[in-house]
PDB file of all heavy atoms in Angstrom:
ATOM      1  N   ALA A1383     121.594 214.438 -72.568  1.00  0.00           N
ATOM      2  CA  ALA A1383     120.484 213.382 -72.574  1.00  0.00           C
ATOM      3  C   ALA A1383     119.123 214.075 -72.406  1.00  0.00           C
ATOM      4  O   ALA A1383     118.176 213.588 -72.925  1.00  0.00           O
ATOM      5  CB  ALA A1383     120.742 212.441 -71.310  1.00  0.00           C
ATOM      6  N   ALA A1384     119.048 215.105 -71.482  1.00  0.00           N
ATOM      7  CA  ALA A1384     117.720 215.736 -71.452  1.00  0.00           C
ATOM      8  C   ALA A1384     117.260 216.421 -72.664  1.00  0.00           C
ATOM      9  O   ALA A1384     116.110 216.331 -73.054  1.00  0.00           O
ATOM     10  CB  ALA A1384     117.884 216.788 -70.233  1.00  0.00           C
ATOM     11  N   GLY A1385     118.262 216.950 -73.405  1.00  0.00           N
ATOM     12  CA  GLY A1385     117.908 217.625 -74.694  1.00  0.00           C
ATOM     13  C   GLY A1385     117.483 216.620 -75.695  1.00  0.00           C
ATOM     14  O   GLY A1385     116.557 216.839 -76.542  1.00  0.00           O
ATOM     15  N   ALA A1386     118.098 215.355 -75.593  1.00  0.00           N
ATOM     16  CA  ALA A1386     117.757 214.310 -76.569  1.00  0.00           C
ATOM     17  C   ALA A1386     116.496 213.531 -76.094  1.00  0.00           C
ATOM     18  O   ALA A1386     115.894 212.711 -76.954  1.00  0.00           O
ATOM     19  CB  ALA A1386     118.814 213.370 -76.630  1.00  0.00           C
ATOM     20  N   GLY A1387     115.954 213.781 -74.935  1.00  0.00           N
ATOM     21  CA  GLY A1387     114.809 213.188 -74.357  1.00  0.00           C
ATOM     22  C   GLY A1387     114.989 211.766 -73.690  1.00  0.00           C
ATOM     23  O   GLY A1387     114.030 211.021 -73.532  1.00  0.00           O
ATOM     24  N   ASP A1388     116.206 211.487 -73.344  1.00  0.00           N
ATOM     25  CA  ASP A1388     116.672 210.371 -72.603  1.00  0.00           C
ATOM     26  C   ASP A1388     116.377 210.515 -71.138  1.00  0.00           C
ATOM     27  O   ASP A1388     117.283 211.047 -70.420  1.00  0.00           O
ATOM     28  CB  ASP A1388     118.020 209.824 -72.988  1.00  0.00           C
ATOM     29  CG  ASP A1388     118.416 208.440 -72.445  1.00  0.00           C
ATOM     30  OD1 ASP A1388     117.574 207.876 -71.664  1.00  0.00           O
ATOM     31  OD2 ASP A1388     119.444 207.983 -72.848  1.00  0.00           O
ATOM     32  N   ALA A1389     115.222 210.199 -70.565  1.00  0.00           N
ATOM     33  CA  ALA A1389     115.004 210.435 -69.169  1.00  0.00           C
ATOM     34  C   ALA A1389     115.830 209.726 -68.250  1.00  0.00           C
ATOM     35  O   ALA A1389     116.154 210.143 -67.140  1.00  0.00           O
ATOM     36  CB  ALA A1389     113.395 210.253 -69.010  1.00  0.00           C
ATOM     37  N   ASN A1390     115.877 208.440 -68.590  1.00  0.00           N
ATOM     38  CA  ASN A1390     116.707 207.538 -67.657  1.00  0.00           C
ATOM     39  C   ASN A1390     118.219 208.070 -67.464  1.00  0.00           C
ATOM     40  O   ASN A1390     118.774 208.081 -66.371  1.00  0.00           O
ATOM     41  CB  ASN A1390     116.664 206.070 -68.202  1.00  0.00           C
ATOM     42  CG  ASN A1390     115.381 205.491 -68.208  1.00  0.00           C
ATOM     43  OD1 ASN A1390     114.451 205.877 -67.255  1.00  0.00           O
ATOM     44  ND2 ASN A1390     115.025 204.637 -68.991  1.00  0.00           N
ATOM     45  N   LEU A1391     118.743 208.307 -68.573  1.00  0.00           N
ATOM     46  CA  LEU A1391     120.197 208.719 -68.499  1.00  0.00           C
ATOM     47  C   LEU A1391     120.238 210.087 -67.841  1.00  0.00           C
ATOM     48  O   LEU A1391     121.189 210.392 -67.011  1.00  0.00           O
ATOM     49  CB  LEU A1391     120.839 208.773 -69.932  1.00  0.00           C
ATOM     50  CG  LEU A1391     122.310 209.208 -69.990  1.00  0.00           C
ATOM     51  CD1 LEU A1391     123.182 208.258 -69.118  1.00  0.00           C
ATOM     52  CD2 LEU A1391     122.740 209.257 -71.443  1.00  0.00           C
ATOM     53  N   ALA A1392     119.328 210.925 -68.176  1.00  0.00           N
ATOM     54  CA  ALA A1392     119.267 212.319 -67.493  1.00  0.00           C
ATOM     55  C   ALA A1392     119.089 212.236 -66.091  1.00  0.00           C
ATOM     56  O   ALA A1392     119.857 212.972 -65.263  1.00  0.00           O
ATOM     57  CB  ALA A1392     118.290 213.114 -68.143  1.00  0.00           C
ATOM     58  N   ARG A1393     118.239 211.428 -65.548  1.00  0.00           N
ATOM     59  CA  ARG A1393     118.010 211.181 -64.170  1.00  0.00           C
ATOM     60  C   ARG A1393     119.267 210.671 -63.485  1.00  0.00           C
ATOM     61  O   ARG A1393     119.628 211.035 -62.353  1.00  0.00           O
ATOM     62  CB  ARG A1393     116.760 210.338 -63.925  1.00  0.00           C
ATOM     63  CG  ARG A1393     116.579 209.895 -62.448  1.00  0.00           C
ATOM     64  CD  ARG A1393     116.263 211.256 -61.651  1.00  0.00           C
ATOM     65  NE  ARG A1393     115.056 211.890 -62.073  1.00  0.00           N
ATOM     66  CZ  ARG A1393     114.584 212.884 -61.565  1.00  0.00           C
ATOM     67  NH1 ARG A1393     115.299 213.529 -60.667  1.00  0.00           N
ATOM     68  NH2 ARG A1393     113.493 213.456 -61.949  1.00  0.00           N
ATOM     69  N   LYS A1394     119.935 209.584 -64.103  1.00  0.00           N
ATOM     70  CA  LYS A1394     121.045 209.028 -63.540  1.00  0.00           C
ATOM     71  C   LYS A1394     122.279 210.004 -63.530  1.00  0.00           C
ATOM     72  O   LYS A1394     122.953 210.076 -62.494  1.00  0.00           O
ATOM     73  CB  LYS A1394     121.473 207.826 -64.476  1.00  0.00           C
ATOM     74  CG  LYS A1394     122.762 207.104 -63.938  1.00  0.00           C
ATOM     75  CD  LYS A1394     123.097 205.961 -64.998  1.00  0.00           C
ATOM     76  CE  LYS A1394     124.374 205.173 -64.471  1.00  0.00           C
ATOM     77  NZ  LYS A1394     124.724 204.189 -65.445  1.00  0.00           N
ATOM     78  N   MET A1395     122.391 210.834 -64.567  1.00  0.00           N
ATOM     79  CA  MET A1395     123.536 211.877 -64.513  1.00  0.00           C
ATOM     80  C   MET A1395     123.185 212.992 -63.525  1.00  0.00           C
ATOM     81  O   MET A1395     124.151 213.445 -62.923  1.00  0.00           O
ATOM     82  CB  MET A1395     123.706 212.476 -65.927  1.00  0.00           C
ATOM     83  CG  MET A1395     124.285 211.433 -66.883  1.00  0.00           C
ATOM     84  SD  MET A1395     125.850 210.930 -66.622  1.00  0.00           S
ATOM     85  CE  MET A1395     125.606 209.304 -66.045  1.00  0.00           C
ATOM     86  N   ALA A1396     121.947 213.308 -63.306  1.00  0.00           N
ATOM     87  CA  ALA A1396     121.630 214.319 -62.361  1.00  0.00           C
ATOM     88  C   ALA A1396     121.981 213.854 -60.897  1.00  0.00           C
ATOM     89  O   ALA A1396     122.507 214.688 -60.051  1.00  0.00           O
ATOM     90  CB  ALA A1396     120.127 214.610 -62.461  1.00  0.00           C
ATOM     91  N   ALA A1397     121.652 212.536 -60.623  1.00  0.00           N
ATOM     92  CA  ALA A1397     122.082 212.082 -59.293  1.00  0.00           C
ATOM     93  C   ALA A1397     123.575 211.987 -59.117  1.00  0.00           C
ATOM     94  O   ALA A1397     124.121 212.354 -58.028  1.00  0.00           O
ATOM     95  CB  ALA A1397     121.430 210.693 -59.057  1.00  0.00           C
ATOM     96  N   ARG A1398     124.238 211.592 -60.110  1.00  0.00           N
ATOM     97  CA  ARG A1398     125.695 211.514 -60.087  1.00  0.00           C
ATOM     98  C   ARG A1398     126.258 213.034 -59.927  1.00  0.00           C
ATOM     99  O   ARG A1398     127.200 213.125 -59.163  1.00  0.00           O
ATOM    100  CB  ARG A1398     126.362 210.908 -61.366  1.00  0.00           C
ATOM    101  CG  ARG A1398     127.881 210.761 -61.316  1.00  0.00           C
ATOM    102  CD  ARG A1398     128.276 210.134 -62.566  1.00  0.00           C
ATOM    103  NE  ARG A1398     127.796 208.753 -62.708  1.00  0.00           N
ATOM    104  CZ  ARG A1398     128.118 207.929 -63.699  1.00  0.00           C
ATOM    105  NH1 ARG A1398     128.895 208.269 -64.680  1.00  0.00           N
ATOM    106  NH2 ARG A1398     127.594 206.661 -63.671  1.00  0.00           N
ATOM    107  N   THR A1399     125.763 213.903 -60.513  1.00  0.00           N
ATOM    108  CA  THR A1399     126.314 215.275 -60.534  1.00  0.00           C
ATOM    109  C   THR A1399     126.069 215.845 -59.078  1.00  0.00           C
ATOM    110  O   THR A1399     126.932 216.571 -58.612  1.00  0.00           O
ATOM    111  CB  THR A1399     125.453 216.119 -61.507  1.00  0.00           C
ATOM    112  OG1 THR A1399     125.688 215.645 -62.814  1.00  0.00           O
ATOM    113  CG2 THR A1399     126.088 217.577 -61.486  1.00  0.00           C
ATOM    114  N   ARG A1400     124.932 215.545 -58.476  1.00  0.00           N
ATOM    115  CA  ARG A1400     124.684 215.969 -57.141  1.00  0.00           C
ATOM    116  C   ARG A1400     125.626 215.438 -56.058  1.00  0.00           C
ATOM    117  O   ARG A1400     125.980 216.067 -55.172  1.00  0.00           O
ATOM    118  CB  ARG A1400     123.253 215.581 -56.662  1.00  0.00           C
ATOM    119  CG  ARG A1400     122.179 216.543 -57.163  1.00  0.00           C
ATOM    120  CD  ARG A1400     121.432 216.982 -55.843  1.00  0.00           C
ATOM    121  NE  ARG A1400     120.454 218.037 -56.312  1.00  0.00           N
ATOM    122  CZ  ARG A1400     120.276 219.128 -55.655  1.00  0.00           C
ATOM    123  NH1 ARG A1400     121.189 219.390 -54.736  1.00  0.00           N
ATOM    124  NH2 ARG A1400     119.385 219.978 -55.920  1.00  0.00           N
ATOM    125  N   GLY A1401     126.197 214.171 -56.405  1.00  0.00           N
ATOM    126  CA  GLY A1401     127.037 213.626 -55.606  1.00  0.00           C
ATOM    127  C   GLY A1401     128.530 214.160 -55.651  1.00  0.00           C
ATOM    128  O   GLY A1401     129.403 213.968 -54.800  1.00  0.00           O
ATOM    129  N   LEU A1402     128.742 214.768 -56.940  1.00  0.00           N
ATOM    130  CA  LEU A1402     130.145 215.212 -57.136  1.00  0.00           C
ATOM    131  C   LEU A1402     130.309 216.731 -57.008  1.00  0.00           C
ATOM    132  O   LEU A1402     131.345 217.179 -56.767  1.00  0.00           O
ATOM    133  CB  LEU A1402     130.521 214.750 -58.595  1.00  0.00           C
ATOM    134  CG  LEU A1402     130.498 213.216 -58.788  1.00  0.00           C
ATOM    135  CD1 LEU A1402     130.892 212.975 -60.359  1.00  0.00           C
ATOM    136  CD2 LEU A1402     131.689 212.664 -57.987  1.00  0.00           C
ATOM    137  N   ILE A1403     129.215 217.514 -57.364  1.00  0.00           N
ATOM    138  CA  ILE A1403     129.215 218.876 -57.224  1.00  0.00           C
ATOM    139  C   ILE A1403     128.139 219.359 -56.309  1.00  0.00           C
ATOM    140  O   ILE A1403     127.032 218.860 -56.352  1.00  0.00           O
ATOM    141  CB  ILE A1403     129.062 219.488 -58.672  1.00  0.00           C
ATOM    142  CG1 ILE A1403     129.996 218.958 -59.606  1.00  0.00           C
ATOM    143  CG2 ILE A1403     129.212 221.058 -58.636  1.00  0.00           C
ATOM    144  CD1 ILE A1403     129.858 219.478 -61.003  1.00  0.00           C
ATOM    145  N   ASN A1404     128.472 220.349 -55.615  1.00  0.00           N
ATOM    146  CA  ASN A1404     127.533 221.095 -54.734  1.00  0.00           C
ATOM    147  C   ASN A1404     126.569 221.927 -55.576  1.00  0.00           C
ATOM    148  O   ASN A1404     127.178 222.789 -56.324  1.00  0.00           O
ATOM    149  CB  ASN A1404     128.252 221.820 -53.671  1.00  0.00           C
ATOM    150  CG  ASN A1404     127.176 222.417 -52.590  1.00  0.00           C
ATOM    151  OD1 ASN A1404     126.028 222.130 -52.674  1.00  0.00           O
ATOM    152  ND2 ASN A1404     127.771 223.104 -51.610  1.00  0.00           N
ATOM    153  N   SER A1405     125.235 221.889 -55.325  1.00  0.00           N
ATOM    154  CA  SER A1405     124.299 222.634 -56.132  1.00  0.00           C
ATOM    155  C   SER A1405     124.481 224.112 -55.778  1.00  0.00           C
ATOM    156  O   SER A1405     124.104 224.958 -56.788  1.00  0.00           O
ATOM    157  CB  SER A1405     122.925 222.215 -55.928  1.00  0.00           C
ATOM    158  OG  SER A1405     122.621 222.347 -54.532  1.00  0.00           O
ATOM    159  N   ASP A1406     124.879 224.493 -54.786  1.00  0.00           N
ATOM    160  CA  ASP A1406     125.093 225.963 -54.456  1.00  0.00           C
ATOM    161  C   ASP A1406     126.270 226.500 -55.190  1.00  0.00           C
ATOM    162  O   ASP A1406     126.273 227.729 -55.575  1.00  0.00           O
ATOM    163  CB  ASP A1406     125.385 226.101 -52.993  1.00  0.00           C
ATOM    164  CG  ASP A1406     124.265 225.660 -52.076  1.00  0.00           C
ATOM    165  OD1 ASP A1406     123.172 225.632 -52.620  1.00  0.00           O
ATOM    166  OD2 ASP A1406     124.477 225.354 -50.803  1.00  0.00           O
ATOM    167  N   GLN A1407     127.159 225.645 -55.673  1.00  0.00           N
ATOM    168  CA  GLN A1407     128.321 226.080 -56.542  1.00  0.00           C
ATOM    169  C   GLN A1407     127.887 226.085 -57.934  1.00  0.00           C
ATOM    170  O   GLN A1407     128.541 226.849 -58.708  1.00  0.00           O
ATOM    171  CB  GLN A1407     129.585 225.227 -56.237  1.00  0.00           C
ATOM    172  CG  GLN A1407     130.076 225.296 -54.782  1.00  0.00           C
ATOM    173  CD  GLN A1407     131.293 224.446 -54.559  1.00  0.00           C
ATOM    174  OE1 GLN A1407     131.548 223.720 -55.329  1.00  0.00           O
ATOM    175  NE2 GLN A1407     131.698 224.478 -53.348  1.00  0.00           N
ATOM    176  N   GLU A1408     127.060 225.263 -58.398  1.00  0.00           N
ATOM    177  CA  GLU A1408     126.752 225.039 -59.802  1.00  0.00           C
ATOM    178  C   GLU A1408     125.178 225.115 -59.974  1.00  0.00           C
ATOM    179  O   GLU A1408     124.598 224.061 -59.884  1.00  0.00           O
ATOM    180  CB  GLU A1408     127.372 223.833 -60.259  1.00  0.00           C
ATOM    181  CG  GLU A1408     127.150 223.650 -61.903  1.00  0.00           C
ATOM    182  CD  GLU A1408     127.608 224.850 -62.637  1.00  0.00           C
ATOM    183  OE1 GLU A1408     128.799 225.216 -62.611  1.00  0.00           O
ATOM    184  OE2 GLU A1408     126.666 225.534 -63.224  1.00  0.00           O
ATOM    185  N   PRO A1409     124.582 226.259 -60.429  1.00  0.00           N
ATOM    186  CA  PRO A1409     123.307 226.409 -60.484  1.00  0.00           C
ATOM    187  C   PRO A1409     122.731 225.549 -61.693  1.00  0.00           C
ATOM    188  O   PRO A1409     121.512 225.164 -61.799  1.00  0.00           O
ATOM    189  CB  PRO A1409     122.937 227.823 -60.829  1.00  0.00           C
ATOM    190  CG  PRO A1409     124.307 228.484 -60.396  1.00  0.00           C
ATOM    191  CD  PRO A1409     125.327 227.578 -60.630  1.00  0.00           C
ATOM    192  N   LEU A1410     123.485 225.085 -62.690  1.00  0.00           N
ATOM    193  CA  LEU A1410     123.027 224.197 -63.805  1.00  0.00           C
ATOM    194  C   LEU A1410     122.474 222.970 -63.273  1.00  0.00           C
ATOM    195  O   LEU A1410     121.709 222.314 -64.128  1.00  0.00           O
ATOM    196  CB  LEU A1410     124.118 224.058 -64.794  1.00  0.00           C
ATOM    197  CG  LEU A1410     124.481 225.247 -65.596  1.00  0.00           C
ATOM    198  CD1 LEU A1410     125.659 224.928 -66.574  1.00  0.00           C
ATOM    199  CD2 LEU A1410     123.273 225.765 -66.507  1.00  0.00           C
ATOM    200  N   ILE A1411     122.830 222.497 -62.185  1.00  0.00           N
ATOM    201  CA  ILE A1411     122.230 221.215 -61.525  1.00  0.00           C
ATOM    202  C   ILE A1411     120.538 221.370 -61.515  1.00  0.00           C
ATOM    203  O   ILE A1411     119.876 220.481 -61.824  1.00  0.00           O
ATOM    204  CB  ILE A1411     122.883 220.824 -60.270  1.00  0.00           C
ATOM    205  CG1 ILE A1411     124.303 220.634 -60.410  1.00  0.00           C
ATOM    206  CG2 ILE A1411     122.143 219.654 -59.623  1.00  0.00           C
ATOM    207  CD1 ILE A1411     125.047 220.365 -59.200  1.00  0.00           C
ATOM    208  N   HIS A1412     120.262 222.600 -61.063  1.00  0.00           N
ATOM    209  CA  HIS A1412     118.797 222.800 -60.905  1.00  0.00           C
ATOM    210  C   HIS A1412     117.999 222.656 -62.353  1.00  0.00           C
ATOM    211  O   HIS A1412     117.026 222.182 -62.573  1.00  0.00           O
ATOM    212  CB  HIS A1412     118.454 224.152 -60.306  1.00  0.00           C
ATOM    213  CG  HIS A1412     118.966 224.309 -58.911  1.00  0.00           C
ATOM    214  ND1 HIS A1412     118.449 223.533 -57.924  1.00  0.00           N
ATOM    215  CD2 HIS A1412     119.874 225.188 -58.447  1.00  0.00           C
ATOM    216  CE1 HIS A1412     119.002 223.854 -56.765  1.00  0.00           C
ATOM    217  NE2 HIS A1412     119.946 224.776 -57.062  1.00  0.00           N
ATOM    218  N   LEU A1413     118.802 223.254 -63.450  1.00  0.00           N
ATOM    219  CA  LEU A1413     118.308 223.159 -64.731  1.00  0.00           C
ATOM    220  C   LEU A1413     118.210 221.787 -65.215  1.00  0.00           C
ATOM    221  O   LEU A1413     117.175 221.506 -65.814  1.00  0.00           O
ATOM    222  CB  LEU A1413     119.113 224.049 -65.620  1.00  0.00           C
ATOM    223  CG  LEU A1413     118.799 224.011 -67.139  1.00  0.00           C
ATOM    224  CD1 LEU A1413     117.355 224.515 -67.376  1.00  0.00           C
ATOM    225  CD2 LEU A1413     119.793 224.817 -67.982  1.00  0.00           C
ATOM    226  N   LEU A1414     119.190 220.962 -64.871  1.00  0.00           N
ATOM    227  CA  LEU A1414     119.174 219.470 -65.257  1.00  0.00           C
ATOM    228  C   LEU A1414     118.018 218.838 -64.637  1.00  0.00           C
ATOM    229  O   LEU A1414     117.304 218.027 -65.388  1.00  0.00           O
ATOM    230  CB  LEU A1414     120.506 218.938 -64.952  1.00  0.00           C
ATOM    231  CG  LEU A1414     120.713 217.370 -65.309  1.00  0.00           C
ATOM    232  CD1 LEU A1414     120.382 217.074 -66.699  1.00  0.00           C
ATOM    233  CD2 LEU A1414     122.005 216.892 -64.880  1.00  0.00           C
ATOM    234  N   GLU A1415     117.868 219.082 -63.348  1.00  0.00           N
ATOM    235  CA  GLU A1415     116.818 218.328 -62.705  1.00  0.00           C
ATOM    236  C   GLU A1415     115.348 218.784 -63.225  1.00  0.00           C
ATOM    237  O   GLU A1415     114.521 218.057 -63.297  1.00  0.00           O
ATOM    238  CB  GLU A1415     116.800 218.569 -61.189  1.00  0.00           C
ATOM    239  CG  GLU A1415     118.118 217.890 -60.545  1.00  0.00           C
ATOM    240  CD  GLU A1415     118.328 218.278 -59.149  1.00  0.00           C
ATOM    241  OE1 GLU A1415     117.550 219.103 -58.607  1.00  0.00           O
ATOM    242  OE2 GLU A1415     119.100 217.618 -58.516  1.00  0.00           O
ATOM    243  N   ALA A1416     115.323 220.057 -63.501  1.00  0.00           N
ATOM    244  CA  ALA A1416     113.901 220.600 -64.008  1.00  0.00           C
ATOM    245  C   ALA A1416     113.727 220.000 -65.462  1.00  0.00           C
ATOM    246  O   ALA A1416     112.613 219.567 -65.743  1.00  0.00           O
ATOM    247  CB  ALA A1416     113.988 222.160 -64.077  1.00  0.00           C
ATOM    248  N   GLN A1417     114.686 219.954 -66.251  1.00  0.00           N
ATOM    249  CA  GLN A1417     114.450 219.421 -67.601  1.00  0.00           C
ATOM    250  C   GLN A1417     114.178 217.827 -67.559  1.00  0.00           C
ATOM    251  O   GLN A1417     113.427 217.450 -68.235  1.00  0.00           O
ATOM    252  CB  GLN A1417     115.733 219.688 -68.470  1.00  0.00           C
ATOM    253  CG  GLN A1417     115.955 221.192 -68.718  1.00  0.00           C
ATOM    254  CD  GLN A1417     114.855 221.768 -69.624  1.00  0.00           C
ATOM    255  OE1 GLN A1417     114.229 221.018 -70.322  1.00  0.00           O
ATOM    256  NE2 GLN A1417     114.590 223.026 -69.465  1.00  0.00           N
TER     257      GLN A1417
END
């Protein structure tokens, strides 16, 4: 969604990812939030 420019879906998926995966274990969460 971030690559496609869908900000709403990207923000929603970033929040859901934070609740399911620890950011210390998966650095790609920082990339998703930055994008």
Side-chain angles (χ1 to χ4, degrees):
D1388 191 348
N1390 295 328
L1391 181 59
R1393 175 61 64 185
K1394 181 179 178 181
M1395 291 297 105
R1398 180 179 299 180
T1399 304
R1400 274 234 176 234
L1402 297 173
I1403 304 177
N1404 190 358
S1405 60
D1406 296 335
Q1407 298 176 354
E1408 184 50 64
L1410 285 178
I1411 298 177
H1412 298 296
L1413 176 61
L1414 175 58
E1415 293 177 347
Q1417 293 296 327

